[in-house]
Amino acid sequence: MTAHPKVVIVGAGIVGCALADELTARGWTDVTVLEQGPLFATGGSSSHAPGLVFQTNSSKTMTEFAQYTVDKYTALTLDGQWCFRQVGGLEVATTPERVEELKRKHGYAASWGVRAELVDAARCVELHPLLDRRQVLGGLHTPDDGLAKALRAAEAQARLATGRGARFLGHHAVTGIESGGGRVTAVTTEHGSFPADVVVSCAGFWGPKLGAMAGLTVPLVPMAHQYARSTPLAALAGHNSELLEASKPILRHQDRDLYFREHADRVGIGSYAHRPLPVDLDGIAAPGGPVMPSVRPFTEEDFEPSWLDARTLLPALASTKVEEGFNGVFSFTPDGFPLLGEAPELRGFWVAEAVWVTHSAGVARAMAQWLVDGRSQTDLHECDLNRFEQVQLAPSYVHRRSCQNFVEVYDIIHPLQPMQEPRPLRVSPFHARQRELGAVFLEASGWERPHWFEANASLLTAAGETAGIPGRNAWASRYWSPIAGAEALATRSRVALYDMTPLKRLEVSGPGALDLLQRLTTNQLDKPVGAVTYTLLLDASGGVRSDLTVARLGPDRFQVGANGNLDLDWLTRHLPDGSPVQVRDITGGTCCVGVWGPLARELVQPLTEADFSHRGFGYFKAKQAYVGEVPVTAMRLSYVGELGWELYTTADAGQRLWDTLWEAGQRLGVVAAGRSAFNSLRLEKGYRSWGADLTAEHNPYEAGLGFAVRMDKGDFLGREALAGLGEETAARRLVPLLLDDPHAVVMGKEPVRADGGAPVGYVTSAAYGYTISRSIAYAWLPASLAAPGTRVGVEYFGEVLPAVVAAEPLFDPGMARIRA
């Protein structure tokens, strides 16, 4: 690619315009924006968007996107007119459940640095006098939220970009994507071809069509969403000018799937309360015609219940009627996050799709940083285009999950709550046996994963097994059972089988496999066959992209335990041209059972002729063996802090492996254990979970993973950025907190407050530690507050729970059990 690449952005909606501005501000000025419709009312989602911007989100990434959008658009004007009006936001609760939900959201706001306050019903009415005081129990006020004028903001940013050299061409419908040698080379339109080194699809709900031209699946569903305006309200007469439009906070009534904003003396009402209305792209009108493509006919029958609910909350609407309404089209994805990143098989073709006005400027900045600097300062793993497994790209899967996300957009969703369909999609070879044991399954990446087993309920009445299993409050006890505590204690006292099949497994093989892995990871992998190494993937800035377990199974063959599809994508992208190295996803054809506990050796050794003694099979070693009749790759690893092995075999032999271990383990009191117990045990040992405890925003020393970095092994990606850094230079640290209340269990993402009450960090992972009889919460804190013994507080549903920073690991610091 040249020093100043030719960039073609497809789509001049608010995302395309924002990206052109962000790129040209960074010196990439050879930017052409192609738009199939007119400029700047293109006919896409930006053209009809009501422009509500609420910053608070359970996702730190999405909140950061919205925060930057607010900051940027507040400073923008177009011909003297505002682009963002900071009227504030108000979410009201009309049910006790929503009151509690707003307390949780207030915690998110504090964690991510958004100004917010919980307010009583009287203050809600003071902020928004149209509210019926009798309906409201309380609210969450966010004073920095507000209204974005999408078309103005788009054009204002386009003008800035044009002033730096960008050009915007309307009525240029894209007809094809040209490529050569695996790279994009040009974009063809009805008016000719435009050479390009980089193409970014910002086509909104047309994204799937543009992606198909590049051979890329863009998993989003265009969905129609109802919006209506009332006739004038006497109560608003004289309050707002046509120019300013609004003075009261934008309002959300999520108990009825409604939101509201002022249009001078009228009220706009958006509703998610109706049935999903997916839209077939083939039936959408072409831009530039008499009907805006993103606007569908209003379906009054769908809106009628919402109109009744709106008049109940805002009685002044009773004297009005719906003056106009439409069903506006916008994008939904299977998991509710945007689609950002580069196509895996066509270099230079990027997408920034399924982005709402709320997050538009933040997404554009992140994309510009990614393109120009090689990485975004905001972690993007939740939004990366390549995060989905292949089975999650099936059209029916994308359709059903996207529709469900529409239904749940304002629902109260528990952090562990799984989607209900399509399921089951992916099951391990142990699934039938797990069902026989009464497994309670949750779902991740399409996999059914047991969280506890009803067959272990008898452990709750067994002598000594229930010690240290306190009850939980209503929220923390959802998708949880005290049985999980019994499984954790049984693991510590006897032996348990854990299904580790859903964890991503890659095989890296061929001449040069070692060199590739050495270049991409931080630890020393040039070890004898049979060695297993914990190591990290870094980006060029030293941020932790992932953590891996790498087993050398042959001179040129490695098995890599990874975190997900993004690791496969990362390794594949870094293969040199013409490399003989193969990187294969072997997850679906293999399976794994973790055999852990003090009696693990007593269970496994009689089943094999291989030496599983401590001397014959050391910690972090691997060997090939037979367990019964099943060939396995055994690795002496443990993510629960106990003696044991991960036993891998092919999927066809998986059930036989489980049955062999299960039958032999009966004399030892073996149990099947689930992810809930696993999470508790790994936090007692301080084992990190990438994506929850750390991301690319953190370096290894901040995360307490400096032991996995070998600066003396030679060059590796990110090494230069780590030069001069160490544990002593870390300005923040990931540390364990122990809550004073033995019965309190938090869920993650809660704010951590210093003695003075100010937010100083946030919780990452949390669980009750059944072995240590304490509630654990790992959190990011400033280094000045990270010393063991420091007192802090964790805000949980509005209550600050006293806690103390502890030394880690919390359990078996001498590693005696795991190395037995």
Side-chain angles (χ1 to χ4, degrees), residues 347-358:
R347 300 301 167 87
F349 186 86
W350 294 70
V351 303
E353 306 289 19
V355 181
W356 296 2
V357 173
T358 301

Side-chain angles (χ1 to χ4, degrees), residues 391-617:
V391 295
Q392 296 175 296
L393 297 177
S396 60
Y397 180 95
V398 173
H399 179 88
R400 294 169 75 179
R401 288 288 170 102
S402 298
C403 286
Q404 188 62 28
N405 268 302
F406 179 90
V407 170
E408 295 178 350
V409 69
Y410 277 174
D411 287 0
I412 299 172
I413 303 296
H414 191 274
L416 295 176
Q417 184 172 333
M419 286 278 192
Q420 292 305 310
E421 58 177 35
R423 289 178 64 191
L425 185 61
R426 307 175 81 184
V427 298
S428 83
F430 318 135
H431 184 71
R433 298 296 184 253
Q434 292 165 346
R435 291 182 62 186
E436 292 169 1
L437 294 171
V440 176
F441 293 98
L442 302 185
E443 184 253 13
S445 299
W447 284 102
E448 296 295 318
R449 305 201 301 181
H451 274 241
W452 69 87
F453 293 84
E454 291 295 336
N456 293 327
S458 59
L459 297 178
L460 295 173
T461 59
E465 291 285 9
T466 57
I469 309 179
R472 298 188 176 192
N473 65 26
W475 185 251
S477 63
R478 293 188 66 188
Y479 304 101
W480 173 83
S481 168
I483 295 171
E487 292 172 0
L489 292 172
T491 306
R492 291 277 190 243
S493 64
R494 301 196 298 278
V495 61
L497 305 185
Y498 287 82
D499 184 358
M500 306 301 288
T501 302
L503 301 185
K504 177 72 80 174
R505 289 176 293 287
L506 310 175
E507 182 182 80
V508 181
S509 61
L514 175 62
D515 291 341
L516 174 72
L517 291 171
Q518 283 281 74
R519 181 165 54 87
L520 295 181
T521 69
T522 59
N523 214 334
Q524 177 59 260
L525 301 182
D526 191 3
K527 298 176 180 178
V529 172
V532 183
T533 307
Y534 177 80
T535 188
L536 309 174
L537 290 178
L538 305 183
D539 61 27
S541 298
V544 181
R545 282 193 55 93
S546 189
D547 61 342
L548 309 175
T549 301
V550 181
R552 191 171 194 178
L553 303 182
D556 295 316
R557 184 166 71 93
F558 297 82
Q559 182 171 308
V560 178
N563 281 297
N565 217 49
L566 295 182
D567 295 337
L568 172 62
D569 181 65
W570 185 257
L571 294 180
T572 302
R573 287 182 186 278
H574 285 86
L575 282 173
D577 291 340
S579 172
V581 177
Q582 289 189 327
V583 180
R584 294 195 307 125
D585 183 353
I586 61 172
T587 311
T590 58
C591 60
C592 177
V593 57
V595 185
W596 291 314
L599 303 183
R601 185 174 286 117
E602 291 184 44
L603 172 54
V604 177
Q605 185 61 84
L607 300 175
T608 180
E609 295 181 359
D611 185 358
F612 272 60
S613 69
H614 179 61
R615 183 181 296 274
F617 200 151

Side-chain angles (χ1 to χ4, degrees), residues 664-715:
Q666 293 308 300
R667 65 184 179 84
L668 303 173
V670 68
V671 301
R675 295 292 301 181
S676 186
F678 178 91
N679 194 52
S680 169
L681 296 169
R682 68 107 181 160
L683 284 178
E684 290 183 331
K685 285 297 294 179
Y687 294 144
R688 277 59 168 150
S689 174
W690 188 87
D693 296 319
L694 71 155
T695 67
E697 294 181 355
H698 309 104
N699 72 47
Y701 304 111
E702 295 171 327
L705 298 177
F707 66 88
V709 178
R710 294 290 182 267
M711 296 292 283
D712 59 353
K713 79 162 190 172
D715 194 28

Side-chain angles (χ1 to χ4, degrees), residues 58 60 69 122 192 268 386 504 566 639 763 772:
S58 61
K60 180 174 180 286
T69 298
N386 298 295
K504 177 72 80 174
L566 295 182
Y639 288 96
V763 173
I772 65 173

Side-chain angles (χ1 to χ4, degrees), residues 130 230-240 248 264-267 315-320:
L130 297 184
S230 71
T231 53
L233 278 75
L236 291 179
H239 283 253
N240 306 312
K248 298 173 184 60
D265 61 352
R266 292 164 169 79
V267 171
L317 288 172
S319 62
T320 71

